[in-house]
Amino acid sequence: VCYTDQHDSSFAALPIHQVDKLCRVWQDRYIQLSSRPEVEYVFIFENKGKEIGVTLSHPHGQIYGYPFVPPIPARELQMEREHHLAHDSLLMEKWLELELSEGKRVIFENERFAAVLKLAETAGVTTSAVNRMVGLRGWKRAAKFYIAKRKSA
């Protein structure tokens, strides 16, 4: 997925209307791929930097539809489900509350969004961007969707 036709630009430099278009593309591709019966997991990510082997200089990302849930996201979903059953609350919500209260890894925060540097990331520097208005509900919906899809398979 190309973010812009300006090869020397970056995601961070995109005007807000372009970011909005890109988010709609991600949403559309996520919905389309996740509705396919052979797809268990949709992974949307940005390719950036020669350090990780990127040969194309323009800002871009990729979207993969896997026939399985990779181990780390599978464990995250399992932990979310177990926490919700035990505490009737979202683990992701507790995590975000803790991160925002400590403030050590918060990159950006306003009333609608928070971007937090992931702790102990294995694939370079990664952030979690959470839409504080719908993101946590979206996380819960994704977990429920995954559980329902696994039961129907």
Side-chain angles (χ1 to χ4, degrees):
V1 177
C2 291
Y3 296 170
T4 177
D5 59 358
Q6 298 174 357
H7 290 266
D8 59 346
S9 189
S10 70
F11 177 84
L14 293 177
I16 194 68
H17 74 275
Q18 190 69 16
V19 172
D20 184 57
K21 284 183 190 178
L22 181 58
C23 287
R24 282 185 272 138
V25 167
W26 287 337
Q27 182 180 29
D28 177 69
R29 298 306 187 276
Y30 179 87
I31 290 168
Q32 293 298 318
L33 281 170
S34 64
S35 69
R36 297 174 64 164
E38 70 273 18
V39 174
E40 287 289 325
Y41 184 77
V42 178
F43 182 44
I44 301 171
F45 62 99
E46 179 178 11
N47 289 353
K48 185 175 181 181
K50 293 178 183 175
E51 303 81 13
I52 62 165
V54 173
T55 58
L56 301 172
S57 61
H58 63 276
H60 70 286
Q62 293 182 332
I63 303 172
Y64 292 171
Y66 290 111
F68 61 91
V69 179
I72 293 173
R75 180 70 181 132
E76 289 172 345
L77 284 167
Q78 180 65 26
M79 291 170 57
E80 182 68 56
R81 187 176 76 77
E82 290 171 6
H83 181 87
H84 188 264
L85 288 172
H87 303 285
D88 197 30
S89 65
L90 297 174
L91 187 58
M92 181 79 165
E93 191 171 47
K94 297 292 183 191
W95 165 79
L96 185 60
E97 287 172 8
L98 178 66
E99 289 292 352
L100 294 177
S101 70
E102 288 183 354
K104 294 177 185 175
R105 289 176 291 278
V106 176
I107 297 167
F108 173 81
E109 175 190 4
N110 66 17
E111 66 279 353
R112 297 191 70 190
F113 288 92
V116 180
L117 185 66
K118 280 191 168 182
L119 182 62
E121 183 57 46
T122 58
V125 177
T126 305
T127 59
S128 291
V130 179
N131 180 330
R132 296 172 74 176
M133 305 300 283
V134 297
L136 297 172
R137 288 190 304 269
W139 176 261
K140 189 172 182 179
R141 273 196 309 270
K144 284 183 175 179
F145 174 78
Y146 169 72
I147 291 163
K149 189 170 183 175
R150 297 291 292 171
K151 285 180 180 176
S152 66

